[in-house]
Amino acid sequence: MRVYFSVLLLLISFSAFGQSSEISQIKTQREASNKALKARDDARHLDFLTEDVLITTGAGTLISGKANLDSYVKKASGPAMYWIRTPDEILVNPETQLAWETGTWKGYYFDQKDPVAQGNYSAQWTKKSGTWLIQSQLFVTLK
């Protein structure tokens, strides 16, 4: 019986370490994505997305695909903005190589320090390519 509990404890420890490692990888990807947006490096920012990414903007516009998102951003009128996404929770399913992230976002004009828009977001990540990439994101503007 003691051996059974020891093996069970060992498996739980490996699982927890694996989850922690995957969550850390996603957080690193999110931070790098935020830095790319703030630096106006659109090409780098797109590297964090799958080709078939789905984005729902804070105003409810649905954008399908990396190329369409790039076009949407380039055609946007008004002052240039960037967004910072701050995760509150990340859950990983190692069997499906999918993850769920939820948190808050703030939008800034490049020439201002205070956010001009903010709200909540959720993201689905996939690691099918070997690297965690964003497969879909939903933004809701709440202020």
Side-chain angles (χ1 to χ4, degrees):
M1 191 67 150
R2 180 180 277 184
V3 172
Y4 172 76
F5 286 118
S6 295
V7 170
L8 183 60
L9 183 60
L10 186 62
L11 289 174
I12 290 170
S13 296
F14 282 138
S15 177
F17 175 75
Q19 289 280 322
S20 178
S21 173
E22 300 298 327
I23 290 169
S24 178
Q25 290 173 39
I26 291 169
K27 285 181 178 179
T28 299
Q29 288 286 85
R30 176 56 77 197
E31 288 172 18
S33 172
N34 283 339
K35 285 180 184 176
L37 283 169
K38 190 171 183 180
R40 295 185 181 186
D41 189 345
D42 293 335
R44 175 71 178 130
H45 173 254
L46 293 173
D47 288 343
F48 299 99
L49 310 173
T50 62
E51 290 298 322
D52 61 347
V53 67
L54 293 173
I55 305 288
T56 303
T57 68
T61 301
L62 179 61
I63 303 165
S64 178
K66 200 188 293 194
N68 288 332
L69 175 62
D70 189 39
S71 176
Y72 177 85
V73 169
K74 288 178 179 171
K75 290 179 183 177
S77 60
M81 292 182 70
Y82 68 95
W83 297 264
I84 299 297
R85 287 78 37 97
T86 304
D88 293 328
E89 179 180 47
I90 299 173
L91 304 171
V92 176
N93 182 336
E95 292 177 22
T96 63
Q97 294 292 283
L98 294 173
W100 166 263
E101 173 190 2
T102 187
T104 57
W105 65 271
K106 292 181 180 180
Y108 300 84
Y109 293 134
F110 282 99
D111 61 349
Q112 294 183 5
K113 292 182 181 181
D114 295 323
V116 295
Q118 60 190 28
N120 291 354
Y121 77 94
S122 293
Q124 178 183 12
W125 292 80
T126 179
K127 196 176 181 183
K128 292 176 186 166
S129 67
T131 301
W132 285 109
L133 298 174
I134 299 164
Q135 189 165 340
S136 66
Q137 290 189 111
L138 166 67
F139 298 91
V140 178
T141 302
L142 297 173
K143 181 177 179 186

